[in-house]
Amino acid sequence: MKSNYSRRRFLGLSALGTASVFGLSTINLLTGCTPNDIVSEEENEEQESNNHFKAIVIGTGYGGSVSALRLGEAKVNTLMLEMGQLWDQPGEDGKIFSKMTSPDKRSMWFKNKTELPISNFFWFGIDRNIDSYAGVLDRLNYDNMSVYTGRAVGGGSIVNGGIAVTPSKSYFEEVFPKVDSGEMFNVYFPRANQMLGVNQVPNSLLENSSYYKFTRVSREQAKRSGYKTEVLPNIYDFNYMLLEEEGTVEKSAYDNEVIFGNNAGKKTLDKTYIADALGTGYVTLKVLHEVIRITHKENAGYELSVREITPEGNEVAIHTFTCNHLVLGAGTMGSSSLLVKAKAKGDLPLLNDNVGKNWGPNGNIMTARANHVWNPTGKNQSTIPVMGINDWDNPVYPVFAEIAPIPIGIESWISLYLAITKNSERGYFSYDTVKDEAVLNWGENQNTPSVMAVKNMMDKINRKEFTTYRYDLFKENKAFADDFTYHPLGGCVLGEATDLYGRVKGYKNLYVNDGALVPGSIGVNPFVTITALAERNIEYIIKNDILV
Ligand code: FAE
C-alpha cells in the first residue's frame, strides 16, 4: 500500500511539475493526450467524447481532493475543475509565493489592493496596492461578513495556517448526531490525519525558539488566569522548521509566509491527495476553469458551463462538460453558491429548501491584547500557530482560541488570537438577480454571542495581567473583529440539503463533499473534519452509487 502511494505520488507530482513548466491548463499523467488514452473503454463505457467524464469534481480543496483520489483509485474516469492556478513555478524573484510583508499580484484573487485581516497598525492602513491577477487568497465581501478563502490548486491548503485539529468526540456528536462517531474516530479521522501528514511541534522549538516567544507569552498569561492550553497539531513539516531554526534551509514559516502561500515546509494538498489522485492515471485536472452553471439532463447526467480564463482574467473560452456523477467540492461558499443559483434559475428546480441554509462562521472572532513594554512577544514570529487556549467546556462561554502570530517583522508587544466560539446564529444564501449570483445574508448582531464569549475570556486575562485590548488593528477601531471568518461552514448541510452521505436531495448522482456539509460550527479549525467526512462519504458513494 505504502509503495503504491509513493509511486503514484511521484507520478502525480511529475505530471504537476511538467504541466506547470509548460503552462498547461490540462494536467494528467499523459498531459496532451485525451482521457481516452488513459482509461480503458471497458472501465468507462459511458465516455463518449473528450468532454464527457464518468465523474466530475468541482474544486481542489480538501473535499474535492479526497473525492478525486478515491474516484481515481476506483478507476473512475474523473475530471477535476479548479478556478485557481497551479502554483509550483517561481516568479521573477525566484519565489513561487509572496510574503505577507511584501504582497504583490500573486497574493490575492483579482484585487487592486490587499485586504488583510489586520488592516491597520497604529491606525495607519497597511493594505498595499497590487496588480489584479489570479492570486491565491480571496476575500468575499458581503454585508456584515467577509469570508477568506483559497483560490488555487489545493484550495484552502495553500493559504491556511495548517492547524490540523480533530474535534472532540462529544462536540462532533452534538454537531452530527446521525453520523456514526465510532466509525469516524476509528477509521476516517485517523485516515485523514495520516493522509494529510499531520505532525506536532517539537518541544525544542516550542520552548526555546525566539520565533515561538509569542506563543510562550500567551500560554503563561492564559495559565495565570486559570485557562488550559494545548499543543495544536499542524501539517507544516516541523522537521523542515527545525532546519529553518538551524539556518540551513530557506526560511518560510520563519520568513513571514503563510496566507499568501508558503514557499516551503507546508504539506499542501497538491503534494498529497492531488498528486496521488493524478498518479492513479484516471484523474485529469483543469486549472483556471470556473464552473458557472450546472444543469441536469434527464437520463443523461449533468452538464456544466465552464469559463476558462488567463491568469490576467481574460476569458479564453466557455466550455461544456458533461458527466454521470457530479461532486461539488467547491468549498462552503462555492458549492452553496452554485446550488443556490441553479435552484433560483430553474436549472435544478428539485433542490430542497435547505439548500443555502444553515451557514455559520465557526464562531470566528479575532482579537488582540497589548502587552507591557517589558513583556515583548518577539520581532520574528513563526507564521505557523502551534498552541490554543481550550475553554470549550465552559458552560456559558465556550471558547477555543488559537494563539496566532503577528508576523510583521517588528516587535509589536501584541498577543493575537483567532477564537472559535459556539454561536447558534446562522446565515443563509439568497440569489441576487442584479448581480446574477448567490449572496450571503448575515445580520449585524449575529456575532454578538461570539464577541461576548471571547470578551469574557480576554477580559479575565487582561484583568490579571493589567493589560488592555488593541483598538488600532481592525476596521472601525474594533477590539473584536467580528466581521470576517477564515472558517465558513454550511449552506448544504449533511442530513438537510443532502442525505447522510452528501447525496443531494432531489437529484440522483449529485453530491456535496466539502465544508458546506458542516452546519456552521465544529468547535475547532475545520479542515481535518472536512477531510475525514469527505473520506467517509466518498467511500460510501463509490460503493453504493458508482461501482454498482
Ligand atoms: P476549499 O479548500 O475552500 O476548496 C474549494 C476549492 O474550489 C478552491 O480551490 C476554489 O478555488 C474552488 N472553486 C470554488 N468555486 C469554484 C467553481 N465555481 N469552479 C471551479 N472551482 C471552484 O474547500 N482550517 C484549518 O483547519 N486550520 C487552519 O489553520 C486554517 N487556517 C486558515 C487560514 C486562512 C487564511 C483561511 C482562508 C482558511 C483557513 N482554514 C483553516 C480553513 C480551511 O482552509 C478551510 O476550512 C478548508 O480549506 C475548506 O475546505 P473545502 O474542501 O471545503
Side-chain angles (χ1 to χ4, degrees):
M1 178 82 167
K2 199 161 184 240
S3 63
N4 200 11
Y5 263 124
S6 306
R7 185 178 138 70
R8 262 193 215 158
R9 191 161 292 182
F10 172 76
L11 291 171
L13 288 170
S14 307
L16 286 163
T18 310
S20 163
V21 167
F22 293 104
L24 304 174
S25 63
T26 300
I27 306 159
N28 56 37
L29 279 196
L30 299 173
T31 298
C33 300
T34 69
N36 283 316
D37 296 321
I38 309 168
V39 181
S40 80
E41 285 200 7
E42 199 189 341
E43 280 154 351
N44 289 284
E45 283 162 15
E46 301 89 344
Q47 190 173 315
E48 283 155 16
S49 76
N50 292 343
N51 284 354
H52 182 83
F53 291 78
K54 186 157 182 180
I56 292 182
V57 176
I58 308 175
T60 59
Y62 293 90
S65 302
V66 170
S67 305
L69 170 60
R70 301 309 173 197
L71 286 162
E73 282 182 330
K75 302 190 168 83
V76 176
N77 182 26
T78 301
L79 174 66
M80 290 183 99
L81 293 167
E82 169 56 53
M83 65 193 278
Q85 297 199 64
L86 170 66
W87 292 87
D88 73 352
Q89 286 305 305
E92 284 166 8
D93 59 355
K95 299 278 187 183
I96 299 169
F97 299 108
S98 62
K99 290 186 208 185
M100 281 179 74
T101 42
S102 48
D104 58 31
K105 67 176 186 179
R106 294 168 292 187
S107 309
M108 297 210 70
W109 182 255
F110 296 110
K111 305 269 184 195
N112 294 311
K113 198 171 189 178
T114 57
E115 294 182 16
L116 289 164
I118 293 179
S119 49
N120 304 304
F121 196 65
F122 288 111
W123 292 279
F124 281 107
I126 55 174
D127 278 313
R128 303 256 190 99
N129 291 333
I130 52 173
D131 289 338
S132 173
Y133 187 72
V136 290
L137 181 68
D138 201 357
R139 175 169 160 142
L140 302 164
N141 296 312
Y142 305 98
D143 289 345
N144 309 312
M145 178 55 69
S146 294
V147 179
Y148 284 99
T149 186
R151 296 260 178 258
V153 172
S157 76
I158 302 296
V159 298
N160 68 30
I163 301 173
V165 190
T166 299
S168 73
K169 197 166 179 211
S170 57
Y171 194 57
F172 180 87
E173 286 168 349
E174 198 177 316
V175 174
F176 291 112
K178 292 187 179 154
V179 173
D180 181 345
S181 62
E183 196 183 52
M184 284 298 294
F185 281 78
N186 290 330
V187 180
Y188 300 109
F189 277 115
R191 185 179 296 173
N193 278 293
Q194 188 261 322
M195 283 296 300
L196 293 167
V198 175
N199 64 162
Q200 208 157 293
V201 65
N203 257 341
S204 59
L205 292 180
L206 178 59
E207 300 304 339
N208 305 321
S209 172
S210 58
Y211 286 79
Y212 279 111
K213 187 171 175 52
F214 75 97
T215 303
R216 296 192 294 273
V217 167
S218 287
R219 176 183 65 186
E220 298 320 312
Q221 294 176 337
K223 277 189 183 160
R224 279 197 286 273
S225 289
Y227 290 111
K228 280 184 292 184
T229 57
E230 64 189 41
V231 170
L232 306 179
N234 202 289
I235 46 96
Y236 196 87
D237 183 350
F238 288 107
N239 287 326
Y240 189 85
M241 198 183 279
L242 282 167
L243 301 177
E244 292 183 65
E245 177 77 18
E246 274 177 26
T248 52
V249 292
E250 269 196 55
K251 292 184 170 61
S252 180
Y254 277 22
D255 197 17
N256 306 323
E257 293 176 359
V258 67
I259 65 171
F260 299 144
N262 281 91
N263 283 299
K266 193 156 41 144
K267 287 175 271 182
T268 47
L269 290 166
D270 48 327
K271 302 187 175 69
T272 58
Y273 274 103
I274 297 171
D276 290 347
L278 291 168
T280 64
Y282 289 86
V283 175
T284 295
L285 164 63
K286 286 182 184 284
V287 301
L288 291 167
H289 278 61
E290 180 188 8
V291 177
I292 51 176
R293 192 162 188 180
I294 304 171
T295 49
H296 182 234
K297 301 278 159 211
E298 201 55 42
N299 301 321
Y302 296 90
E303 185 176 289
L304 309 186
S305 298
V306 180
R307 192 163 70 103
E308 182 181 357
I309 58 165
T310 64
E312 290 72 31
N314 301 317
E315 189 170 295
V316 175
I318 301 284
H319 304 281
T320 301
F321 295 101
T322 55
C323 61
N324 305 77
H325 300 268
L326 178 60
V327 182
L328 280 84
T332 295
M333 308 308 288
S335 296
S336 303
S337 297
L338 281 167
L339 291 186
V340 166
K341 188 171 164 183
K343 186 170 182 343
K345 290 179 93 88
D347 293 339
L348 296 174
L350 303 179
L351 292 174
N352 77 18
D353 287 343
N354 289 314
V355 167
K357 304 266 171 67
N358 218 343
W359 180 93
N362 204 20
N364 275 189
I365 300 289
M366 195 176 264
T367 189
R369 295 178 34 257
N371 289 301
H372 300 293
V373 278
W374 57 87
N375 200 12
T377 48
K379 170 172 169 264
N380 296 315
Q381 303 195 359
S382 167
T383 56
I384 297 301
V386 294
M387 185 158 278
I389 306 171
N390 191 344
D391 195 32
W392 198 255
D393 292 337
N394 186 313
V396 188
Y397 292 127
V399 175
F400 178 80
E402 156 197 334
I403 297 172
I406 178 147
I408 50 175
I410 53 169
E411 176 57 58
S412 68
W413 290 273
I414 289 173
S415 283
L416 183 70
Y417 309 86
L418 179 67
I420 294 167
T421 60
K422 190 174 174 182
N423 180 352
S424 58
E425 291 288 328
R426 292 292 173 264
Y428 64 95
F429 292 86
S430 57
Y431 174 65
D432 183 322
T433 43
V434 178
K435 293 182 180 157
D436 188 27
E437 63 186 32
V439 291
L440 177 68
N441 299 274
W442 179 260
E444 199 183 343
N445 300 320
Q446 285 190 274
N447 248 338
T448 303
S450 297
V451 170
M452 282 168 66
V454 180
K455 189 170 182 312
N456 175 66
M457 173 183 272
M458 296 302 160
D459 277 357
K460 196 168 165 189
I461 297 177
N462 275 336
R463 274 197 304 271
K464 184 84 187 166
E465 303 297 323
F466 298 101
T467 51
T468 182
Y469 294 103
R470 290 284 297 238
Y471 293 93
D472 58 312
L473 304 177
F474 306 113
K475 290 202 174 103
E476 298 165 18
N477 302 335
K478 285 183 181 200
F480 301 95
D482 59 353
D483 55 352
F484 67 80
T485 180
Y486 284 175
H487 301 163
L489 295 170
C492 301
V493 166
L494 197 82
E496 296 173 11
T498 75
D499 74 356
L500 288 175
Y501 291 92
R503 300 191 286 197
V504 177
K505 290 181 182 168
Y507 289 91
K508 225 174 151 234
N509 302 336
L510 180 63
Y511 315 95
V512 172
N513 209 17
D514 59 22
L517 294 174
V518 184
S521 161
I522 194 61
V524 292
N525 314 64
F527 74 62
V528 174
T529 305
I530 294 169
T531 306
L533 209 52
E535 287 277 17
R536 164 192 179 269
N537 296 344
I538 199 68
E539 185 175 286
Y540 184 91
I541 289 164
I542 289 171
K543 193 165 153 215
N544 292 283
D545 284 13
I546 301 183
L547 299 183
V548 284

